[in-house]
């Protein structure tokens, strides 16, 4: 089996879309949020991307996830909830 790329218009357009929006623009937005609201808030993006991807897969691809994936999803969401509710410490 050899690796190959299907240079169809759909492939090239999707690759360009991911490169521009998924990397360049997303990276710029991340640092804009980090400067404006702090890196702790911006880090939520990293933790919440997989659950959002799972939701999109369920909605548009009909994906079904097993128990371990659902447990992982619950742990990620619980962790985010703990971070949001954690007492804020003032910088001294």
């Amino acid at each position: 089996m050899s690796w190959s790329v299907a240079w169809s218009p759909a492939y090239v357009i999707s690759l360009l879309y991911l490169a521009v929006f998924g990397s360049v623009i997303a990276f710029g937005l991340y640092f804009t949020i980090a400067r404006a609201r702090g890196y702790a808030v911006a880090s939520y993006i990293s933790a919440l991307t997989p659950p959002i991807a799972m939701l999109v897969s369920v909605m548009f691809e009909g994906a079904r996830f097993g128990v371990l994936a659902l447990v992982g999803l619950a742990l990620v969401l619980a962790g985010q909830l703990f971070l949001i509710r954690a007492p804020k410490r003032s910088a001294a």
Side-chain angles (χ1 to χ4, degrees):
M1 176 184 270
S2 65
W3 187 83
S4 65
V5 175
W7 291 105
S8 67
Y11 175 81
V12 173
I13 291 169
S14 64
L15 182 62
L16 289 173
Y17 171 81
L18 287 173
V20 172
F21 290 99
S23 297
V24 176
I25 292 175
F27 193 69
L29 286 173
Y30 172 80
F31 279 107
T32 300
I33 292 169
R35 281 191 298 258
R37 302 285 311 267
Y39 286 94
V41 172
S43 70
Y44 294 151
I45 295 169
S46 302
L48 295 178
T49 299
I52 292 169
M54 290 173 72
L55 178 63
V56 170
S57 291
V58 167
M59 290 172 49
F60 295 107
E61 300 174 346
R64 300 290 177 246
F65 296 99
V67 173
L68 285 178
L70 297 176
V71 169
L73 176 64
L75 289 172
V76 167
L77 296 176
Q80 292 304 301
L81 186 63
F82 287 134
L83 284 173
I84 290 170
R85 293 180 177 221
K88 307 294 185 243
R89 293 193 282 173
S90 62

